[in-house]
Amino acid sequence: MTDKSSAIIPKSGITYRKYYNVSEYRSELWNGLKDEANQLNVDADGDQGDLIKSIHGVIAELEKIEKYWAFPGLVRINQLKECLDRREYHAFCNSVEELVRLLVSRAYYHESPESFDLNDDASHDPTPEQERKGHYFEVLFVNDIEIEEQEELRAQLRTLRGRDDEFYYDVVHVRTFQDALIALNFNHNIQSCIIRYNFPFQAESSIKNLRPFVSSWLTETTSAKRSSEIGIYLGRKVKELRPELDLFLVTDLSVEKLSDEALQNFRTIFYRQEDLTDLHLTILKGIDERFETPFYNALVSYSKRPTGVFHAMPISRGNSIFKSNWIKEMGDFYGRNIFLAETSATTGGLDSLLQPTGPLKKAQEMASRAFGSRRSFFVTNGTSTANKIVVQALVQPGDVILIDRDCHKSHHYGLVLSGAKPVYLDSYHLEQYSMYGGIPLKLIKEQLHTYKKAGRLNEVKMLLLTNCTFDGIVYNVEQFMEEVLAIKPDMIFLWDEAWFGYARFSSLFRKRTAMASADRLLKKFRSEEYKSHYTKLVDGGKSVSHLPDPDEVKVRVYSTQSTHKTLTSLRQGSMIHIYDEQFAQKVEESFIEAYMTHTSTSPSYQILASLDMGRRQAELEGNELVERSVERAMMLRVKIANTPLLRKYFDILTVTDLIPLSLRKSGFERYYSKDKGWGNISQEWKHDEFVLDPTKINLYIGRTGIDGDTFKKKYLMDQFGIQVNKTSRNTVLFMTNIGTTRSSVAKLIGVLIKIAQQLDERVASFSKQESLLHDDYVVNLTERLPALPNFSYFHDRFRSSETEEGNIRDAFFMAYNEHLCENLPIETCERLMKKGREIVSSSFVIPYPPGFPILVPGQVMTKGILEFMKALDVTEIHSYNAELGLRVFTEEALTDNP
Ligand SMILES: Cc1ncc(COP(=O)(O)O)c(C=O)c1O
């Protein structure tokens, strides 16, 4: 028996201030209610006045939130209240428990929520109709009608459900503009939105407690107050917030009176007098279109057909495996389906990646819709290949590319293949963490002005940047492109978004993706408003040097994305997204050639099918999953900030640590601090040159005295089986993704606590000598950090002008001539450099981590670069043999005429 006095812990003290988002707050309230309901049940006959008061408090708080959900929603909240009023505490407790189970496990997404009705005696014994498995979603109605009318509408829509419908829904009703936006932000399972033409702006009830969760985007929409066409304005806002949703307008206005924008944003326009069946079927059709996975389906049905295989692929249908005497276990491990679906057939319902006309073509078109591009292409060899395709497609030998020096190595190889000449741009340094940041816009503009002055701006073809970086630095993509286009209106942009595929599905991140920025810029430059503003400035003799000329500017944007890194896809599944208004005229042919150059004629159908599925998931639940991964990252921040033992050894690097103030106009400092709680990120994400992706958590471990690589291998992996991707000398990078669970975050926190305890014990057991040694390690990792080298310059042999671009391809292939190269140990290089010899690398030298070249072919070595190499504590350095030394060009090779 529980001791009543100590066991009753009323939860009404749960305060919204503690939570990062409403989902966390909501689930904490439901869990709190469950605890209290249990207490009530344990001692149903005792004096429960305080507890019941507390329960009412929690329910009142839940009421404010549940109105934005159909499940459990206000209907079930009201049923719970009635149950409580009838003093049916046992039933109350069971009902709350069941609701919490359905919510926490998300079982209500496929167990029909109607199977849970508190007023229905058979509620725990579902009828066959209720037992039906399908996909549940919610539909938002924005309509200023009375509750009774709402209920009638809801009931009518329910009657339209078919027994075998694959999808079924319930309705969330709101009556105002603000409530609609709140619902869409809170409730990720809203998949369609039906908007009446006219309704009030202001939320129905006070949203004071909800403000921290909504303020950033709610304040942006106050102009709707003045809009006479509030329904159409809401449509625009919904498209900004959740572009994947199906939007319907119900109006009395004739089509002629509706703006083009309204006709574009709304999937269908309904007239009030039309019957609900049409609406219902259109809602289901919309979901079906996102649910459809043409290539995956084709592959599944192909694999079910009996087929004789008479071409080269013994693994197909598992023939070489299941009948084998020796490798059967492979079949047991993977299961039969994977082999049934192993094929390279391009007929029988399948398609050819190299010339798609059927389901693959359709799957790519659907991906284009989902990611907001004009064209999208699947790539089965990762973004390493996607990058080479795009570079080869867009630049020719001799073209100049402005490129970030610490971009992924595939770009550098792309330059070698294409013959384009790079101007390497240096990122800002984060010396104290041995990391690089992003390239400041100022630097890019300076380079462009240099080429302009030299009369050679036409040679600069492309700007290539990484968004976001491995460590989570995200560019202000729109600002960068706009200011660059003001100098060079036909610049082509390649944004390497290998790590940013999921960003499309969060309203916050989406603004900083290449595709969304390209779309906004194109609309802006083609708008009458922009054109007349520009003309007015010109006519008034004002400077327009900061604005792209609307008659000249072209929006030409490419993004490569490792779908497999951040969304659902098998390894190597990547996509190229294109928003280039000149693609068809100028690029398509060379793009197809480049695609043919790099794409295998035997692409993995499994990867392609998984990309198709990944797209389906992103369109239907991407928003929820991405928001959740941010929430998980925030949980980790809170826990580390609030646990003294963890703080002793670890810090999570903040925005202040990773972005210099000069590149952070908003002055935003950190996502969370123990004293101030949550930072307001809206201004930061809107205006700052760089922001930090919150799902990338850089843990600073300098004070442990253990370097990043050792921490990763010996502590996280060997002891606790935790896998991380990247380390620097004194940091370890953790990332949350759409698959990160609460329990994996809890596990990580537990592991960090254990490591901190081990460190405490270790430090306590040190002898004096060991202690001095340990302190020295700590100083090494916290103070004595090697200076990060910039790109030096190309040797004159590989440069033909005063500007900085170099002929990397020439240098790369020159090194194929054995007699033109030699190997020199680092110390010898240093000695020779002191004597005045310019030593030039003949190969790439790529330490991993960080994974980008610190030397490229043709680059002159500097003292700083060699010192950095010596200080590196990583064992993996690509293209470098420590025994032989650095591969360099001989002096003769550099002086002889080519
Ligand atoms: C910025 C960047 N681009 C491209 C790639 C290559 O992507 P993939 O592994 O899909 O080939 C990586 C890999 O880590 C990367 O970090």
Side-chain angles (χ1 to χ4, degrees):
M1 205 46 198
T2 343
D3 166 17
K4 192 179 129 199
S5 58
S6 63
I8 296 175
I9 311 165
K11 298 279 182 185
S12 51
I14 297 169
T15 158
Y16 61 90
R17 287 191 190 86
K18 271 170 53 185
Y19 302 98
Y20 166 69
N21 63 13
V22 82
S23 308
E24 244 195 314
Y25 180 45
R26 182 184 183 221
S27 79
E28 211 48 30
L29 285 169
W30 276 107
N31 281 324
L33 189 62
K34 185 174 116 179
D35 287 351
E36 296 196 344
N38 269 321
Q39 296 300 326
L40 195 61
N41 193 24
V42 167
D43 190 12
D45 300 326
D47 174 13
Q48 302 282 38
D50 282 351
L51 185 55
I52 288 175
K53 220 160 117 196
S54 171
I55 288 178
H56 276 297
V58 179
I59 290 181
E61 226 20 47
L62 273 171
E63 268 177 322
K64 289 182 205 153
I65 299 177
E66 285 302 327
K67 67 191 250 196
Y68 301 111
W69 275 270
F71 182 83
L74 283 185
V75 173
R76 286 169 192 86
I77 288 279
N78 286 334
Q79 290 172 349
L80 284 176
K81 275 179 14 188
E82 285 161 17
C83 196
L84 197 61
D85 291 345
R86 290 195 299 269
R87 294 175 165 261
E88 293 168 1
Y89 299 148
H90 184 65
F92 176 78
C93 177
N94 283 348
S95 304
V96 173
E97 274 192 355
E98 180 60 3
L99 283 174
V100 172
R101 180 191 74 79
L102 288 165
L103 280 172
V104 170
S105 62
R106 294 168 90 216
Y108 76 99
Y109 277 30
H110 46 87
E111 285 176 22
S112 175
E114 278 94 64
S115 66
F116 186 79
D117 186 338
L118 273 79
N119 290 342
D120 181 356
D121 286 344
S123 64
H124 298 291
D125 188 11
T127 62
E129 150 70 10
Q130 289 170 334
E131 247 185 359
R132 174 188 48 161
K133 298 275 188 236
H135 301 274
Y136 169 74
F137 65 98
E138 301 193 348
V139 174
L140 180 70
F141 274 74
V142 189
N143 196 357
D144 186 20
I145 55 172
E146 295 305 320
I147 305 248
E148 296 72 36
E149 279 180 278
Q150 293 177 9
E151 280 311 309
E152 194 185 320
L153 183 65
R154 193 173 179 210
Q156 281 177 350
L157 284 168
R158 274 192 193 190
T159 62
L160 297 173
R161 286 186 194 166
R163 174 76 187 84
D164 300 319
D165 286 353
E166 197 167 357
F167 316 110
Y168 58 99
Y169 61 88
D170 204 345
V171 171
V172 182
H173 231 114
V174 294
R175 296 167 64 172
T176 75
F177 181 93
Q178 284 193 327
D179 282 312
L181 285 191
I182 296 172
L184 286 165
N185 265 272
F186 286 5
N187 183 345
H188 305 292
N189 201 23
I190 291 175
Q191 301 287 357
S192 319
C193 180
I194 289 109
I195 298 178
R196 264 291 289 148
Y197 198 69
N198 225 332
F199 41 83
F201 172 80
Q202 195 86 28
E204 275 197 287
S205 46
S206 159
I207 51 168
K208 193 168 135 263
N209 283 10
L210 303 181
R211 271 231 172 260
F213 307 127
V214 298
S215 59
S216 56
W217 37 267
L218 216 51
T219 47
E220 282 176 28
T221 56
T222 41
S223 53
K225 275 186 198 165
R226 294 184 291 279
S227 173
S228 58
E229 296 179 345
I230 197 166
I232 290 174
Y233 187 82
L234 178 61
R236 188 195 306 163
K237 285 289 149 191
V238 176
K239 277 284 154 199
E240 277 172 27
L241 208 57
R242 304 265 309 269
E244 71 279 11
L245 294 196
D246 294 314
L247 267 182
F248 306 97
L249 183 70
V250 182
T251 182
D252 301 326
L253 280 187
S254 65
V255 172
E256 301 81 62
K257 289 200 177 136
L258 291 169
S259 65
D260 289 353
E261 188 199 354
L263 293 170
Q264 264 173 34
N265 280 344
F266 291 94
R267 187 186 166 96
T268 313
I269 313 278
F270 288 101
Y271 288 88
R272 229 193 338 188
Q273 64 275 20
E274 281 169 347
D275 91 61
L276 282 179
T277 312
D278 240 18
L279 176 62
H280 169 76
L281 294 175
T282 319
I283 290 172
L284 292 189
K285 183 148 193 317
I287 301 300
D288 195 42
E289 282 177 15
R290 275 182 270 158
F291 188 81
E292 195 191 346
T293 38
F295 189 70
Y296 172 83
N297 293 358
L299 192 61
V300 171
S301 50
Y302 180 90
S303 66
K304 286 183 182 153
R305 287 167 45 166
T307 352
V309 180
F310 287 100
H311 64 90
M313 202 170 178
I315 205 173
S316 181
R317 315 198 75 76
N319 290 345
S320 68
I321 294 168
F322 293 107
K323 297 190 183 86
S324 161
N325 205 13
W326 298 95
I327 63 166
K328 249 199 210 119
E329 73 203 68
M330 182 176 171
D332 297 340
F333 178 70
Y334 285 109
R336 189 163 285 273
N337 279 349
I338 199 162
F339 303 110
L340 289 177
E342 261 311 306
T343 174
S344 60
T346 51
T347 50
L350 291 170
D351 202 355
S352 159
L353 181 63
L354 294 171
Q355 205 167 1
T357 52
L360 264 177
K361 181 168 185 282
K362 193 153 182 223
Q364 292 180 100
E365 284 164 2
M366 292 169 93
S368 166
R369 174 188 72 200
F371 288 93
S373 71
R374 291 191 160 191
R375 293 284 294 270
S376 287
F377 290 82
F378 289 170
V379 178
T380 57
N381 319 71
T383 300
S384 305
T385 292
N387 287 338
K388 283 178 259 186
I389 292 173
V390 178
V391 171
Q392 179 181 325
L394 293 166
V395 290
Q396 300 179 30
D399 284 348
V400 174
I401 294 192
L402 305 187
I403 175 170
D404 82 57
R405 198 278 305 252
D406 42 330
C407 64
H408 188 258
K409 62 180 185 167
S410 52
H411 296 293
H412 304 271
Y413 286 110
L415 297 175
V416 169
L417 295 176
S418 67
K421 294 179 176 172
V423 174
Y424 282 116
L425 306 169
D426 286 305
S427 315
Y428 65 83
H429 292 185
L430 295 164
E431 223 112 77
Q432 61 281 41
Y433 311 116
S434 295
M435 277 183 207
Y436 290 88
I439 316 286
L441 179 56
K442 189 164 165 269
L443 205 87
I444 298 169
K445 287 165 64 176
E446 275 167 15
Q447 278 294 351
L448 289 173
H449 284 303
T450 306
Y451 278 88
K452 197 171 175 182
K453 257 193 219 143
R456 295 180 46 221
L457 197 53
N458 61 323
E459 289 173 40
V460 183
K461 288 287 156 60
M462 182 190 265
L463 173 63
L464 197 165
L465 297 171
T466 309
N467 183 56
C468 63
T469 68
F470 219 142
D471 305 301
I473 306 296
V474 182
Y475 283 76
N476 189 336
V477 176
E478 188 175 337
Q479 183 200 3
F480 271 60
M481 293 205 289
E482 184 161 11
E483 295 196 23
V484 165
L485 288 170
I487 303 169
K488 182 169 169 60
D490 59 348
M491 183 70 111
I492 304 174
F493 299 88
L494 169 53
W495 294 94
D496 181 335
E497 297 189 327
W499 292 102
F500 215 38
Y502 64 96
R504 173 85 193 160
F505 304 97
S506 148
S507 57
L508 183 70
F509 297 175
R510 187 184 311 114
K511 292 197 182 102
R512 289 195 175 228
T513 62
M515 291 301 109
S517 304
D519 188 50
R520 269 199 311 277
L521 283 179
L522 185 73
K523 285 183 181 141
K524 176 173 172 175
F525 298 149
R526 301 291 169 254
S527 71
E528 286 311 316
E529 200 184 337
Y530 180 78
K531 285 182 194 164
S532 76
H533 173 63
Y534 188 88
T535 317
K536 239 189 233 158
L537 289 178
V538 174
D539 294 348
K542 301 243 168 66
S543 164
V544 284
S545 62
H546 61 295
L547 293 176
D549 180 342
D551 293 330
E552 296 286 321
V553 68
K554 300 281 176 288
V555 174
R556 310 194 60 189
V557 185
Y558 291 72
S559 147
T560 50
Q561 170 203 100
S562 293
T563 316
H564 68 98
K565 288 196 202 298
T566 64
L567 294 169
T568 293
S569 158
L570 292 178
R571 204 79 178 131
Q572 295 192 18
S574 284
M575 296 191 199
I576 297 170
H577 300 301
I578 300 172
Y579 201 114
D580 178 356
E581 48 179 332
Q582 298 200 304
F583 184 74
Q585 300 128 272
K586 290 202 164 173
V587 187
E588 190 158 6
E589 273 178 34
S590 59
F591 186 90
I592 298 299
E593 285 303 327
Y595 194 77
M596 296 287 176
T597 309
H598 297 280
T599 302
S600 164
T601 42
S602 312
S604 159
Y605 281 16
Q606 316 282 5
I607 294 177
L608 294 170
S610 75
L611 284 171
D612 202 14
M613 264 293 170
R615 187 274 312 150
R616 177 209 284 181
Q617 178 181 45
E619 279 198 302
L620 286 162
E621 57 182 357
N623 183 250
E624 173 170 10
L625 298 178
V626 173
E627 297 300 337
R628 201 158 357 119
S629 71
V630 176
E631 181 190 314
R632 304 281 136 94
M634 295 303 188
M635 273 169 69
L636 200 59
R637 285 190 164 79
V638 173
K639 195 66 192 167
I640 292 188
N642 293 341
T643 310
L645 179 61
L646 292 179
R647 287 298 305 271
K648 190 167 161 189
Y649 294 104
F650 308 117
D651 288 316
I652 289 184
L653 295 185
T654 62
V655 177
T656 315
D657 296 322
L658 294 173
I659 303 170
L661 188 58
S662 58
L663 303 172
R664 197 165 27 93
K665 193 155 93 180
S666 72
F668 183 78
E669 291 179 346
R670 47 174 55 78
Y671 286 117
Y672 177 81
S673 86
K674 195 165 179 288
D675 310 324
K676 296 188 190 151
W678 301 107
N680 179 357
I681 56 178
S682 58
Q683 291 308 308
E684 177 212 13
W685 276 75
K686 219 172 179 186
H687 301 297
D688 287 356
E689 192 160 330
F690 296 102
V691 295
L692 177 66
D693 175 354
T695 66
K696 311 277 190 307
I697 299 154
N698 287 289
L699 190 76
Y700 179 69
I701 57 166
R703 293 194 298 281
T704 62
I706 304 164
D707 68 83
D709 201 44
T710 312
F711 195 85
K712 164 178 151 174
K713 289 179 184 148
K714 296 223 169 100
Y715 286 78
L716 292 172
M717 193 62 207
D718 292 355
Q719 286 192 45
F720 300 104
I722 288 192
Q723 199 189 334
V724 294
N725 217 324
K726 186 198 167 251
T727 56
S728 75
R729 259 174 89 80
N730 53 18
T731 66
V732 181
L733 177 68
F734 298 104
M735 297 180 194
T736 55
N737 62 43
I738 62 164
T740 309
T741 57
R742 269 169 182 264
S743 64
S744 51
V745 173
K747 176 172 174 182
L748 177 60
I749 293 165
V751 164
L752 292 177
I753 288 176
K754 279 188 195 132
I755 294 176
Q757 282 163 348
Q758 279 181 22
L759 291 170
D760 261 359
E761 284 161 23
R762 218 178 105 214
V763 170
S765 70
F766 280 155
S767 66
K768 201 165 173 200
Q769 201 54 33
E770 284 169 331
S771 187
L772 286 173
L773 210 59
H774 174 76
D775 290 348
D776 198 48
Y777 284 140
V778 172
V779 172
N780 251 339
L781 293 177
T782 52
E783 292 168 30
R784 276 185 232 127
L785 291 153
L788 297 174
N790 274 338
F791 180 78
S792 51
Y793 55 94
F794 282 105
H795 185 267
D796 283 349
R797 169 70 180 71
F798 306 106
R799 265 171 76 175
S800 49
S801 63
E802 282 308 297
T803 42
E804 289 178 23
E805 79 278 3
N807 195 338
I808 192 171
R809 175 196 178 103
D810 207 9
F812 182 87
F813 287 110
M814 196 167 115
Y816 278 29
N817 300 299
E818 197 61 26
H819 67 282
L820 300 180
C821 303
E822 60 184 327
N823 282 86
L824 299 177
I826 293 181
E827 291 70 24
T828 313
C829 292
E830 284 177 327
R831 199 164 29 80
L832 293 173
M833 276 159 61
K834 261 195 201 141
K835 288 189 183 159
R837 176 173 157 189
E838 255 187 331
I839 300 190
V840 179
S841 180
S842 63
S843 70
F844 287 103
V845 175
I846 308 174
Y848 193 89
F852 62 84
I854 56 166
L855 281 169
V856 305
Q859 182 184 346
V860 176
M861 283 177 201
T862 60
K863 194 165 159 261
I865 293 173
L866 296 180
E867 267 164 17
F868 182 73
M869 274 201 75
K870 283 195 295 186
L872 275 175
D873 40 19
V874 297
T875 45
E876 198 177 327
I877 304 181
H878 303 170
S879 314
Y880 170 67
N881 183 330
E883 280 170 24
L884 295 177
L886 290 157
R887 187 117 178 109
V888 304
F889 286 116
T890 60
E891 278 190 287
E892 298 71 40
L894 297 169
T895 47
D896 284 356
N897 286 329

